[in-house]
Amino acid sequence: MRASEARAAAADWIERHGGRLPGFAGAYLGGSTAALPPDAPVPPGSDVDVMVVTEGPAPGVKPGKLRHLGALLDVTLVPAEQLASPDAVLSDYHLAPALRADTVVADPAGRLTALHEDVARRFAEPRWVAARQAHALRRVTDGLRGLDATAPWPQAVTAWLFPTGVTTHVLLVAALRNPTIRLRYVAARDLLAAHGLARRHEELLELLGSAALTAPRAEQHLRALADTFDAAAAVARTPFAYASDITPAARAVSIDSLYARIRAGQHREVAFWLAATAARCHTVLDADAPEALREERAPHFAALLADLGIDSPADLTARAADVLAHLPTLTDTADAVRHAVAGSSS
């Protein structure tokens, strides 16, 4: 499928279904697919991020991943109050990149179009790039300083993993690049290599715990995770925020697409998404699966975490401290990238 066809499918879904959502106030597209040239093929396992703006009470669980006209969509609800002003958007490292591009597909009041135009005009201004970099850095510090390593194990792993992974976003935001979710470490590797800073990427992998992970071992973990994913998708009932990510429709993104990534030499980088998906699957299993199934899949989760150097809550706490101690170096690296990018575009 071409990018233009995927985007047309997203627009059709919004016209047919999005407008019926409570408080519907417009919609725009985000993510890497929205930025592809019209004739470019959508990479295997990629989805189209559909951001539906809603007014009124806080939206509930997002619709999430679904198939429509052959395209895999990932529908997220965005409270209109988060888009209250261009300055608020420009300082938010998740919101600004999507609204930088002209991807508005529904705008009943004309507000999103005006917002996009303002954000696009000022997106690369140094003050806003620095503000978004600082926003990403706060996500790391707030998440790791607030880590509760005594929480149920899959949730504790998630609470350590995602703030740790935001270290890549600090760098990507500084370079005006999309802070991608699944492939954040791949994107960071490419960015740092382009600036002659490959050693900084090795440090990020060391903090994640995957620096020494081999491709055969990563693929072994992925095969085990595929079985865990299918088991979790079959029993899932509890409406977690990411419930749609653990479904047959989402398997192409969460599981199938990673085989090619591993075989392309990105095994250390995709370890982030292996661990994230495994933790989510085990959160589902803990809530909805019989004990026998939980016990059957638990050793595979433990083996993956062990290869990342995580065996206990104490390991999570220690690794969080390591990441926090690395933040001055990360900040210096991001500042250097930001100034280099600004200099090359001036």
Side-chain angles (χ1 to χ4, degrees):
M1 173 174 285
R2 294 177 301 171
S4 60
E5 295 169 328
R7 292 195 284 266
D12 185 82
W13 183 88
I14 292 166
E15 182 177 357
R16 293 171 182 265
H17 307 288
R20 301 177 184 176
L21 294 171
F24 178 80
Y28 59 96
L29 306 182
S32 58
T33 302
L36 290 173
D39 290 334
V42 177
S46 291
D47 52 27
V48 182
D49 291 319
V50 180
M51 320 303 288
V52 175
V53 182
T54 60
E55 295 179 331
V61 176
K62 71 175 187 175
K65 288 184 172 58
L66 54 92
R67 287 279 179 187
H68 185 71
L69 299 181
L72 180 61
L73 312 182
D74 190 358
V75 183
T76 297
L77 306 180
V78 181
E81 62 185 26
Q82 292 185 9
L83 310 177
S85 72
D87 286 6
V89 173
L90 282 162
S91 60
D92 188 304
Y93 90 88
H94 279 303
L95 294 175
L99 285 163
R100 174 193 191 185
D102 184 10
T103 61
V104 176
V105 292
D107 191 16
R111 297 172 187 167
L112 288 178
T113 299
L115 181 62
H116 149 66
E117 292 172 351
D118 199 342
V119 170
R121 178 172 54 84
R122 296 192 285 153
F123 182 84
E125 291 181 3
R127 64 174 292 200
W128 297 117
V129 182
R132 292 192 296 274
Q133 180 183 321
H135 179 214
L137 192 63
R138 287 195 302 274
R139 287 288 183 91
V140 180
T141 56
D142 291 351
L144 294 179
R145 287 173 180 166
L147 175 67
D148 179 8
T150 66
W153 186 234
Q155 297 172 41
V157 170
T158 298
W160 158 75
L161 181 65
F162 275 88
T164 296
V166 175
T167 55
T168 64
H169 288 168
V170 175
L171 299 167
L172 294 170
V173 166
L176 304 181
R177 298 195 183 188
N178 178 40
T180 185
I181 303 300
R182 286 184 306 116
L183 300 177
R184 61 184 72 188
Y185 281 88
V186 175
R189 182 189 71 174
D190 294 344
L191 167 64
L192 290 169
H195 287 272
L197 297 168
R199 177 57 198 159
R200 297 280 87 89
H201 180 58
E202 292 299 317
E203 292 168 355
L204 295 182
L205 294 179
E206 289 165 5
L207 293 170
L208 178 63
S210 64
L213 185 67
T214 66
R217 186 64 170 162
E219 188 160 338
Q220 181 180 350
H221 287 310
L222 179 55
R223 289 195 298 269
L225 177 58
D227 292 338
T228 300
F229 184 97
D230 292 340
V235 301
R237 296 185 306 275
T238 301
F240 293 111
Y242 51 80
S244 70
D245 290 334
I246 313 298
T247 62
R251 196 183 198 275
V253 171
S254 295
I255 301 296
D256 299 340
S257 65
L258 297 189
Y259 285 103
R261 294 286 178 179
I262 291 172
R263 292 166 187 172
Q266 299 171 2
H267 48 282
R268 301 187 302 165
E269 288 77 16
V270 303
F272 169 82
W273 198 244
L274 290 177
T277 302
R280 289 176 168 183
C281 287
H282 282 274
T283 298
V284 170
L285 293 176
D286 285 353
D288 298 330
E291 183 177 358
L293 180 55
R294 297 198 303 269
E295 291 179 351
E296 175 191 337
R297 304 314 307 168
H300 302 287
F301 187 33
L304 170 59
L305 293 177
D307 277 357
L308 299 180
I310 301 296
D311 294 305
S312 69
D315 292 329
L316 293 181
T317 301
R319 191 68 64 77
D322 290 342
V323 176
L324 292 170
H326 183 72
L327 292 186
T329 298
L330 178 70
T331 301
D332 289 345
T333 304
D335 288 344
V337 169
R338 175 161 50 89
H339 293 313
V341 171
S344 65
S345 60
S346 61

